[in-house]
Amino acid sequence: MDSEKDDNVLPLMYSSTTDEKQHNDSVITGRGAFAAISYMASAVLLIMFNKAALSSYRFPYANVITLLQTICSCLLLYAMKYWKIVSFTSDGSTIVTNNPGSLVPVKTLFRTLPLAASYLLYMLVTMESVRAINVPMYTTLRRTTIAFTMVVEYLLSGQKHSLPVVGSVGIIILGAFIAGARDLSFDAYGYAVVVLANICTAVYLTSISRIGKSTGLNSFGLMWCNGVICAPILLVWTLIKGDLTATLDFPYLSLPGFQVVMLLSCIMAFCINYFVFLNTTLNSALTQTICGNMKDLFTIGLGWALFGGLPYDLLNVVGQSLGFFGSCLYAFSKINGK
């Protein structure tokens, strides 16, 4: 009976012992590489669908998209848990109740509050940072998140990194500043907001593996708790701003093409959130940050190839190339256990 139960669970679960072992190992496993590559692929697709909704259909309410993505994620997780497709815990337990509130114990839900708080703060500060500073410098300063992640990992868990890893991170940061060298217009407020966004990102990513281990929740369980906490807050926020009411009057709301784009955006948001949790847990918060940088490089390249119109700038090309080289060097170091 137990073996039959386990066969019905989606084979992306892992025990806390295995999780801790893989997190502490310096070598990226095959499963860890799958999580990293899947994250980057789903992230690029999500950007395309969000771009289609925000630009092609001129849907101006990004907060509503985030809310719909969160609600969709919760509904998918509830259905998958109810039908025993997934488990929320590291031990693979598939106990099911009809009450959504009891899928995870209230005590455990409260223990994930720091994760949800850091996620909401990260979203809020990131949106403000985009408004406060020009895009080239925003991209440049956001890539320094890697350094903040290394510091937060050390402060929270004593995680230290080898010289090749530190060197590859240094190359990525150097490439970021070279790429934005022509836009070094100092803005104290804008810089401060981006630095705060970097800190929030580092805390959020570092909290994923720590809270997962302390609560016994796997990636699906962490996603569920994050969604259950964040969805009501996002709902209240969109109501206060009037975005939800304005969405009902959006002229393309009933258009099948727009509905398909929104549906695909919600599905890809579910995938990317899962792979963020999985990649951070199987590998590390630093690896997730590196993957985010590589994803940005692929997005820039894909945008140039598909849409063109990007002005040629030698410093930008050199900086982007250095960033890509540093990311590859990091991956090589992890694969070879250095």
Side-chain angles (χ1 to χ4, degrees):
M1 187 71 177
D2 292 338
S3 61
E4 182 180 343
K5 176 191 71 173
D6 294 338
D7 289 340
N8 292 329
V9 182
L10 191 67
L12 289 175
M13 304 298 103
Y14 42 87
S15 67
S16 57
T17 304
T18 304
D19 171 17
E20 186 173 358
K21 178 180 183 299
Q22 290 175 327
H23 180 73
N24 292 331
D25 286 346
S26 59
V27 180
I28 291 182
T29 64
R31 218 164 141 226
F34 165 78
I37 294 172
S38 297
Y39 158 73
M40 289 186 286
S42 57
V44 172
L45 289 174
L46 178 62
I47 290 173
M48 292 177 61
F49 293 130
N50 284 347
K51 179 69 173 177
L54 295 170
S55 298
S56 299
Y57 288 98
R58 295 183 176 85
F59 184 71
Y61 310 112
N63 289 331
V64 174
I65 295 179
T66 303
L67 174 62
L68 291 176
Q69 291 171 345
T70 305
I71 294 174
C72 180
S73 176
C74 288
L75 292 175
L76 284 172
L77 286 169
Y78 177 72
M80 293 167 71
K81 181 70 164 62
Y82 183 81
W83 285 314
K84 302 182 181 181
I85 299 174
V86 302
S87 169
F88 283 178
T89 58
S90 300
D91 59 9
S93 172
T94 55
I95 298 175
V96 175
T97 65
N98 292 323
N99 182 10
S102 62
L103 292 183
V104 172
V106 175
K107 182 179 179 181
T108 302
L109 190 65
F110 274 105
R111 290 173 67 182
T112 65
L113 278 174
L115 182 65
S118 62
Y119 174 70
L120 287 172
L121 186 59
Y122 153 73
M123 289 197 304
L124 178 65
V125 175
T126 299
M127 285 188 290
E128 177 61 25
S129 63
V130 172
R131 286 192 289 264
I133 199 170
N134 61 66
V135 174
M137 275 313 300
Y138 171 78
T139 304
T140 296
L141 294 177
R142 282 295 285 160
R143 288 187 186 173
T144 62
T145 303
I146 302 170
F148 286 92
T149 302
M150 294 180 72
V151 172
V152 172
E153 279 187 330
Y154 177 76
L155 293 176
L156 294 183
S157 59
Q159 176 72 37
K160 297 181 180 180
H161 299 280
S162 64
L163 186 60
V165 169
V166 174
S168 63
V169 169
I171 292 173
I172 293 172
I173 295 175
L174 175 62
F177 278 102
I178 290 177
R182 296 191 189 278
D183 297 276
L184 291 173
S185 52
F186 183 77
D187 183 332
Y189 173 75
Y191 279 35
V193 173
V194 176
V195 169
L196 182 58
N198 291 346
I199 295 174
C200 293
T201 304
V203 171
Y204 171 63
L205 294 177
T206 306
S207 298
I208 290 175
S209 58
R210 286 177 55 83
I211 292 178
K213 290 177 184 179
S214 64
T215 59
L217 296 173
N218 57 28
S219 297
F220 289 117
L222 291 172
M223 285 175 62
W224 170 259
C225 293
N226 206 45
V228 167
I229 295 172
C230 293
I233 299 175
L234 288 171
L235 177 61
V236 171
W237 178 250
T238 54
L239 285 173
I240 291 175
K241 292 192 65 178
D243 291 350
L244 204 58
T245 304
T247 298
L248 298 177
D249 298 325
F250 183 64
Y252 300 135
L253 186 62
S254 60
L255 199 66
F258 176 74
Q259 294 174 356
V260 169
V261 166
M262 292 296 291
L263 176 62
L264 292 174
S265 174
C266 290
I267 293 174
M268 293 315 303
F270 174 85
C271 292
I272 192 176
N273 283 329
Y274 172 68
F275 287 121
V276 165
F277 283 105
L278 187 65
N279 188 30
T280 304
T281 307
L282 288 180
N283 298 314
S284 68
L286 181 61
T287 300
Q288 171 58 33
T289 309
I290 297 287
C291 288
N293 285 343
M294 292 190 72
K295 174 264 297 179
D296 291 338
L297 293 172
F298 288 131
T299 303
I300 292 171
L302 186 62
W304 180 83
L306 294 179
F307 306 108
L310 296 176
Y312 175 80
D313 187 292
L314 181 60
L315 280 180
N316 190 273
V317 172
V318 171
Q320 298 291 354
S321 299
L322 272 177
F324 183 75
F325 173 73
S327 299
C328 292
L329 183 61
Y330 173 85
F332 178 80
S333 300
K334 299 294 287 185
I335 290 172
N336 288 275
K338 297 180 180 179

